[in-house]
Amino acid sequence: MRVKDDAQALSVDSAAKSTHVYRTIKDMVIGRALAPGVQINIEDVAASLRVSRTPVREALIRLSCEELIETAPGKGFFVRKRSWDELRSDYEFAYMLLRCAIEGNIVAFNSEGLRRPLAFGSMAERNAASVANAMFLEALYDRIASLAGNVHSMRGVRAFIDRTKHFRDLVFEHPEHAPTVAATTRDLFEWLQSHNLEASLSALRTIAVLKNSYIGELAREDATAPGASPTPKDI
């Protein structure tokens, strides 16, 4: 019995380590602490996190399935460079999933736990509002996806949220674009609360159109932004 208990404990510990490694690398990729195109050295990551190579490799394979990491034969793992055309496609696909969820079950929308974020005011307030509005929109997307009651739709929307985080942050940091998207997001939230199907779909589409119109401009600004890209040794 003791042997069985020890084996179960080791299994739980291994799973916990694997999840920790996966979450750590994923957070750094999503947050751009690991820049697109950077090679991830398994040995360096394993040493930094004080784990074996196995959970690191498992995490990278899992992240490659989520299209956050890519592999190059004979070279290893790299943070995936996502083109702005792919970003446009991501928004169109997510819009389709969210629209279907709203059309199918808007009456089940529940706003419990969702709090409307800060308005944009002074510079200090804008910085806080940028973070709060980005997080609110992510939570709202996730809540809408849950209306579908379909695990595949929910996973698709959550993958979209991860892949587009950097762009969403750029939008909410922009002095002109942020207030517009934030106001439309608040409209969407209010229409969902009142279960107004037509107005909710209109607001959702407006957000998608606005984001699509900003992509080219923000891509150019992001490409010329100062600052060096961190390396995997910064983990």
Side-chain angles (χ1 to χ4, degrees):
M1 187 67 177
R2 176 63 182 275
V3 173
K4 182 177 181 181
D5 290 342
D6 288 345
Q8 290 177 337
L10 287 172
S11 178
V12 170
D13 183 59
S14 177
K17 284 183 179 179
S18 181
T19 299
H20 171 67
V21 172
Y22 161 78
R23 189 71 254 178
T24 298
I25 299 174
K26 183 173 184 176
D27 286 346
M28 296 193 76
V29 170
I30 292 173
R32 290 295 181 98
L34 291 173
V38 166
Q39 183 174 12
I40 298 179
N41 185 289
I42 293 178
E43 287 80 6
D44 288 346
V45 176
S48 178
L49 297 179
R50 298 182 180 181
V51 296
S52 69
R53 289 164 46 94
T54 300
V56 177
R57 182 176 293 278
E58 290 174 348
L60 293 174
I61 292 173
R62 185 174 172 185
L63 289 169
S64 69
C65 293
E66 297 177 15
E67 300 183 12
L68 293 174
I69 297 293
E70 60 186 359
T71 59
K75 295 183 178 180
F77 295 91
F78 296 80
V79 178
R80 192 174 188 276
K81 291 182 178 180
R82 200 163 195 82
S83 73
W84 294 97
D85 284 339
E86 287 179 305
L87 184 60
R88 288 189 175 91
S89 297
D90 282 339
Y91 268 95
E92 285 300 319
F93 180 63
Y95 166 74
M96 179 189 69
L97 293 177
L98 295 168
R99 183 193 66 199
C100 290
I102 292 173
E103 288 176 335
N105 201 19
I106 190 174
V107 295
F109 180 80
N110 182 352
S111 62
E112 183 179 355
L114 292 175
R115 297 177 59 186
R116 288 195 296 181
L118 304 170
F120 288 85
S122 65
M123 180 59 71
E125 291 172 337
R126 282 203 298 271
N127 291 337
S130 295
V131 175
N133 277 276
M135 293 178 65
F136 176 74
L137 184 54
E138 292 170 2
L140 186 57
Y141 282 154
D142 194 61
R143 186 65 58 86
I144 293 171
S146 69
L147 296 175
N150 183 312
V151 66
H152 298 295
S153 293
M154 293 175 66
R155 286 176 179 169
V157 171
R158 287 169 183 167
F160 157 78
I161 291 172
D162 290 341
R163 289 198 298 264
T164 57
K165 176 175 173 51
H166 179 62
F167 177 66
R168 190 161 40 257
D169 289 344
L170 292 177
V171 170
F172 281 113
E173 290 167 3
H174 196 283
E176 296 177 7
H177 302 331
T180 302
V181 176
T184 309
T185 301
R186 289 194 294 272
D187 289 342
L188 172 59
F189 181 55
E190 290 173 0
W191 291 128
L192 287 167
Q193 284 183 300
S194 62
H195 299 160
N196 186 318
L197 177 59
E198 184 176 351
S200 295
L201 292 177
S202 177
L204 179 68
R205 185 58 186 169
T206 298
I207 292 173
V209 170
L210 287 171
K211 295 287 188 71
N212 190 62
S213 70
Y214 300 154
I215 286 176
E217 173 192 348
L218 293 178
R220 289 189 295 272
E221 292 180 4
D222 190 44
T224 58
S229 297
T231 68
K233 293 184 180 180
D234 294 322
I235 292 180

